[in-house]
Amino acid sequence: MTRARPPISDEEAQDAALIWEYHQLHHELRACDVAICLGGPDPDVADFAVELYHRKLFPTLVFSGANSPDTVEYYPRGEAIECREKALSLGVPNSAILVEIRATNTGQNVAYSRTVLAEHDLYPATIMLVSMPYMQRRAFATCRKVWPDVDIVCASEPIEFVEYAKAIGNPPVVLDMIVGDMQRIMEYPKKGFAIEQHVPQAVQDAYERLVNAGYTSRLAAL
């Protein structure tokens, strides 16, 4: 039987909010040639991508993602497949949707989506990356490495950490995810997976405090 984790403290919530803000790029949303909806365990990402499509911010929407232990609960038949079905039910025409069903990490999301677009004779100059809020910066850094010549706009549901954690229903797990993305932002450039990003000392300190507090379940084995 899995023991319930204690609620996060006020100090931990403050550190989480600091890192959350760092993850946000605050790009101005503008029309792009295509959008790539990145897979993940938050079903609201697909809903937000559909909303942006209906706001006419892009004519083509790529859903990318196979499956993972984090997402199989939400998408048992695969992330991209089920997100496509959801988008169709919400009024996005089939002609506007492409699917990429193999990716299991963010670099593959970008690379494989680029291939799918090329297979449909689409060579965008601008793309919108739609992701979970705490994934914006890592998605940007990864895409800039994998697809350096494209102009990138990052988009996610406009929400703060406390509200997001409440909506997900498991604040410690959300904090684990935030810490995991922070680690990847700092470490993945060394492996050639992403471009380097400046990390303010206050953000590094908050990250280290949360790691020391045990929010480590989403750290990558480096």
Side-chain angles (χ1 to χ4, degrees):
M1 178 173 163
T2 303
R3 295 179 60 185
R5 296 172 65 178
I8 64 176
S9 68
D10 290 343
E11 292 78 12
E12 291 166 348
Q14 290 171 5
D15 282 340
L18 181 62
I19 296 174
W20 180 273
E21 177 60 23
Y22 173 74
H23 285 322
Q24 306 290 306
L25 295 177
H26 301 291
H27 286 172
E28 181 179 355
L29 299 187
R30 54 186 172 83
C32 293
D33 295 329
V34 303
I36 301 174
C37 184
L38 303 175
D42 181 355
D44 289 341
V45 176
D47 287 348
F48 190 64
V50 168
E51 176 186 328
L52 296 176
Y53 171 81
H54 286 307
R55 286 163 58 180
K56 302 187 184 305
L57 288 174
F58 44 81
T60 302
L61 175 56
V62 182
F63 287 109
S64 175
N67 229 328
S68 73
D70 289 334
T71 62
V72 68
E73 174 184 354
Y74 306 103
Y75 308 113
R77 291 181 292 111
E79 298 169 32
I81 291 170
E82 297 207 28
C83 285
R84 171 187 174 275
E85 292 174 358
K86 189 173 191 180
L88 290 171
S89 74
L90 294 173
V92 180
N94 185 58
S95 59
I97 301 173
L98 297 176
V99 293
E100 181 290 299
I101 62 173
R102 297 184 296 145
T104 58
N105 61 56
T106 307
Q108 291 176 355
N109 286 139
V110 175
Y112 295 169
S113 293
R114 184 180 188 178
T115 297
V116 168
L117 287 162
E119 289 171 349
H120 289 79
D121 292 322
L122 295 173
Y123 303 93
T126 57
I127 62 170
M128 184 172 292
L129 298 177
V130 187
S131 70
M132 295 172 290
Y134 58 82
M135 191 181 168
Q136 272 196 29
R137 184 176 292 273
R138 183 166 67 85
F140 174 85
T142 303
C143 188
R144 179 62 71 229
K145 183 70 176 183
V146 175
W147 199 346
D149 56 345
V150 75
D151 189 17
I152 305 165
V153 176
C154 291
S156 60
E157 179 187 8
I159 189 171
E160 297 300 325
F161 166 71
V162 172
E163 289 72 28
Y164 186 85
K166 288 179 180 176
I168 295 296
N170 196 333
V173 168
V174 175
L175 219 166
D176 281 337
M177 300 294 282
I178 294 170
V179 169
D181 263 51
M182 191 70 240
Q183 178 211 30
R184 288 161 175 78
I185 286 169
M186 295 187 291
E187 298 297 330
Y188 275 11
K190 302 172 188 176
K191 293 182 170 293
F193 297 160
I195 64 165
E196 193 82 31
Q197 298 279 281
H198 171 67
V199 182
Q201 189 61 51
V203 174
Q204 293 186 45
D205 292 344
Y207 164 78
E208 291 172 5
R209 285 192 294 268
L210 292 171
V211 168
N212 291 334
Y215 293 97
T216 59
S217 74
R218 295 304 191 276
L219 294 183
L222 299 173

